[in-house]
C-alpha cells in the first residue's frame, strides 16, 4: 500500500528443481550454492512479507535486507537478516529434519519470532543504538564477553522480557535488546504495557519504544553491508554442512555419569531386561518431554540419550524388576543433565 511496503519482485524459481527427486545421500553430495534456492517464490516470501507488515504497523520505515544464509543471524554491523537456506524448500526442510531432528524456524510462528529477534540486531546495526551511553545504562555494556552458551539464566527474573526459549534475553546485553525489540514489535504498546506491568523489563520496553520513535524520523547510519555466508556462494556440500553442525551440537560428554547410571538402574536384576533396551523403548517419550521442558535442541537431547544407551550397553547394566520408578528417575536425571549443560556451556544455542 505505502512506499515502505516494499516487496521484492518475484523472480520465478525453476518449477521443480531436479534435486527434489534425489535420495538423501545423493542430495547430500550437492553443493549448497548449486541448489538455486531463493526467498522469492518460497514459503518464506509470505513470512517475510508478514514480518514487514508488522514493522509497518509499528510505524517503522526500516526494512532489513533478508537473504538466505547457513543459519539464523544478523551479520555484525550490517542491517540484514540471514535466514537458513533449508527453509526455502520443503525437500530441504525434510532433509534438515532427518539430519538434525528439528527445523529451527520451520513453523510460521517460530519463523516470525526469529525474524523479530534478528531484526532487533539488524536495527541496532543500522542505527548503532548500542554504542550510546543511554543504551548501555539500560542494557549493559555490549563489550561484555559474548557467551550465549554459558549464561546462567534466572528463570524467575522480571528484569528481562520472555520471547525466545531459555530466557535468551539474559544471554548478553545485545540479546536482551534484540528480545526486548522483538516483544515491542510483536505486541501493541497497550499490550506490552499490560503484560509487563510491574516488571523491571517494562523500563527496557519503554526505552526501546523511545528509540523507535527516533528511528521513525531519522535515517539509519548504515544501510548496507556484506551478506556473509550467502547460500548462493556456499561451495560446501550438504554432507559437509551437516557434518559440521552435528559436531557443533554434539560435543563429547564425559563418562562421569557411569556412577549415576548404576544408581538409576539400581545395579539391576541379574536376570532383568537390558537397561539399554528399556531406554530404547522409552526413547521417543523421554526425548519429547525433555525437549518440551528444557527447550534444548532435539538433536542434542537425542544424542545424549543415545550416548547413555550406549554406555548402559557397555556397562552391561540391567533394569530392576520393578520398573515403575525408572522412567521418572531417567527423565529427571536427563533434564538435570541437559539444564546443567546449558549452564556450563556444553550445549550451544545462539541466534
Ligand atoms: Zn540474537
Amino acid at each position: 500500500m505505502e512506499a515502505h511496503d516494499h516487496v521484492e519482485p518475484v523472480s520465478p524459481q525453476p518449477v521443480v528443481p531436479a534435486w527434489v527427486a534425489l535420495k538423501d545421500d545423493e542430495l547430500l553430495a550437492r553443493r549448497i550454492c548449486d541448489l538455486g534456492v531463493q526467498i522469492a517464490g518460497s514459503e518464506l516470501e509470505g513470512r517475510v512479507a508478514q514480518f514487514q507488515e508488522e514493522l509497518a504497523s509499528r510505524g517503522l520505515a526500516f526494512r532489513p535486507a533478508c537473504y538466505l544464509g547457513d543459519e539464523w543471524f544478523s551479520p555484525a554491523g550490517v542491517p540484514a537478516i540471514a535466514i537458513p537456506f533449508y527453509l526455502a524448500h520443503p525437500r530441504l526442510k525434510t532433509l534438515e529434519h532427518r539430519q538434525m531432528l528439528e527445523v529451527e524456524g520451520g513453523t510460521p510462528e517460530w519463523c516470525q519470532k526469529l525474524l523479530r529477534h534478528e531484526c532487533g540486531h539488524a536495527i541496532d546495526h543500522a542505527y548503532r543504538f548500542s554504542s550510546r551511553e543511554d543504551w548501555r545504562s539500560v542494557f549493559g555494556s555490549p563489550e561484555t564477553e559474548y557467551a550465549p552458551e554459558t549464561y546462567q539464566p534466572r528463570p524467575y527474573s522480571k528484569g528481562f522480557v520472555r520471547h525466545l526459549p531459555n530466557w535468551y534475553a539474559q544471554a548478553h546485553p545485545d540479546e536482551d535488546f534484540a528480545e526486548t525489540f522483538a516483544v515491542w514489535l510483536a505486541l501493541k504498546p497497550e499490550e506490552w504495557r499490560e503484560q509487563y506491568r510491574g516488571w523491571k523489563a517494562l523500563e527496557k520496553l519503554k526505552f526501546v519504544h523511545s528509540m523507535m520513535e527516533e528511528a521513525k524520523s531519522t535515517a539509519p547510519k548504515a544501510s548496507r553491508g556484506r551478506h556473509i555466508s550467502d547460500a548462493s556462494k556456499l561451495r560446501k556440500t550438504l554432507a559437509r554442512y551437516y557434518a559440521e553442525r552435528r559436531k557443533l551440537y554434539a560435543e563429547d560428554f564425559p563418562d562421569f555419569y557411569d556412577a549415576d547410571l548404576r544408581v538409576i538402574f539400581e545395579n539391576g536384576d541379574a536376570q532383568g531386561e537390558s537397561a539399554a533396551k528399556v531406554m530404547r523403548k522409552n526413547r521417543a517419550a523421554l526425548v519429547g518431554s525433555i525437549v518440551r521442558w528444557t527447550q534444548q535442541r532435539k538433536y542434542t537431547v537425542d544424542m545424549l540419550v543415545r550416548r547413555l544407551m550406549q554406555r548402559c550397553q557397555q556397562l552391561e547394566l540391567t533394569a530392576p524388576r520393578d520398573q515403575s520408578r525408572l522412567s521418572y528417575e531417567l527423565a529427571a536425571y536427563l533434564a538435570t543433565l541437559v539444564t546443567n549443560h546449558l549452564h556450563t556451556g556444553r550445549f550451544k544455542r545462539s541466534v
Side-chain angles (χ1 to χ4, degrees):
M1 36 187 192
E2 285 112 339
H4 55 240
D5 275 309
H6 173 73
V7 176
E8 292 294 324
V10 179
S11 43
Q13 293 194 35
V15 186
V16 179
W19 45 260
V20 166
L22 297 178
K23 295 198 187 91
D24 280 8
D25 55 337
E26 296 165 331
L27 181 54
L28 284 166
R30 296 296 177 102
R31 297 190 307 178
I32 295 169
C33 59
D34 295 333
L35 298 171
V37 281
Q38 296 175 27
I39 293 176
S42 76
E43 69 178 12
L44 287 173
E45 188 177 17
R47 291 180 189 173
V48 169
Q50 187 193 331
F51 155 71
Q52 290 178 335
E53 276 165 33
E54 210 169 76
L55 289 168
S57 74
R58 300 286 171 257
L60 285 177
F62 175 71
R63 298 290 179 275
C66 293
Y67 70 100
L68 295 179
D70 56 353
E71 59 177 337
W72 284 101
F73 68 100
S74 174
V78 181
I81 297 176
I83 303 173
F85 66 89
Y86 53 78
L87 292 179
H89 198 284
R91 176 68 185 93
L92 297 175
K93 283 174 82 173
T94 306
L95 182 68
E96 170 77 8
H97 193 266
R98 281 196 204 129
Q99 292 287 319
M100 305 304 297
L101 304 171
E102 68 183 341
V103 182
E104 191 174 25
T107 62
E109 302 74 31
W110 199 357
C111 186
Q112 290 307 320
K113 280 193 169 188
L114 288 160
L115 283 170
R116 286 183 202 119
H117 175 93
E118 299 306 345
C119 186
H121 293 306
I123 201 166
D124 181 49
H125 298 156
Y127 286 90
R128 306 207 180 106
F129 292 125
S130 55
S131 63
R132 288 166 36 163
E133 235 6 88
D134 53 353
W135 190 98
R136 286 158 191 243
S137 67
V138 174
F139 292 102
S141 169
E143 275 92 52
T144 307
E145 189 199 348
Y146 202 91
E149 62 271 36
T150 56
Y151 68 105
Q152 297 211 13
R154 289 170 296 141
Y156 48 83
S157 175
K158 294 195 166 187
F160 300 86
V161 297
R162 291 176 191 172
H163 178 251
L164 287 176
N166 282 337
W167 308 280
Y168 197 61
Q170 300 185 36
H172 185 273
D174 284 338
E175 301 307 336
D176 192 8
F177 173 76
E179 286 289 87
T180 309
F181 173 84
V183 170
W184 176 86
L185 181 60
L187 302 176
K188 295 185 180 119
E190 58 270 27
E191 290 170 336
W192 55 255
R193 278 183 218 278
E194 175 58 30
Q195 202 167 316
Y196 286 94
R197 198 190 330 179
W199 286 48
K200 206 161 161 278
L202 185 62
E203 296 307 311
K204 292 175 179 169
L205 280 159
K206 285 180 181 166
F207 181 70
V208 166
H209 189 65
S210 70
M211 276 189 292
M212 293 312 129
E213 286 302 311
E214 274 183 52
K216 285 177 191 176
S217 53
T218 43
K221 293 186 167 77
S223 57
R224 56 171 66 91
R226 197 169 150 243
H227 291 179
I228 60 163
S229 300
D230 186 321
S232 67
K233 298 187 183 105
L234 290 176
R235 302 165 72 90
K236 68 176 99 170
T237 61
L238 285 165
R240 163 112 186 274
Y241 170 70
Y242 282 113
E244 287 171 0
R245 284 179 62 209
R246 294 167 76 121
K247 193 160 170 248
L248 187 68
Y249 297 158
E251 292 181 69
D252 282 333
F253 300 104
D255 287 339
F256 60 62
Y257 34 64
D258 283 8
D260 299 338
L261 289 174
R262 289 188 201 280
V263 171
I264 291 171
F265 289 98
E266 300 168 26
N267 290 318
D269 174 329
Q271 263 73 54
E273 209 175 350
S274 100
K277 201 172 157 197
V278 173
M279 281 182 80
R280 196 171 305 121
K281 272 197 300 204
N282 295 308
R283 197 178 112 220
L286 262 178
V287 172
S289 310
I290 295 161
V291 167
R292 186 172 322 122
W293 292 104
T294 64
Q295 297 282 341
Q296 270 301 329
R297 291 186 193 277
K298 197 170 177 188
Y299 178 77
T300 316
V301 176
D302 189 67
M303 188 58 77
L304 177 65
V305 174
R306 281 169 196 267
R307 297 234 176 132
L308 288 179
M309 268 166 29
Q310 223 171 37
R311 198 64 198 143
C312 285
Q313 201 142 31
Q314 285 161 354
L315 298 172
E316 298 185 345
L317 292 182
T318 51
R321 193 161 300 180
D322 176 12
Q323 292 185 9
S324 55
R325 291 180 54 84
L326 199 56
S327 39
Y328 300 115
E329 293 273 340
L330 268 176
Y333 177 65
L334 285 163
T336 309
L337 263 190
V338 168
T339 309
N340 284 342
H341 276 290
L342 171 69
H343 293 173
T344 55
R346 300 191 67 89
F347 289 178
K348 185 181 160 69
R349 181 186 271 280
S350 57
V351 283

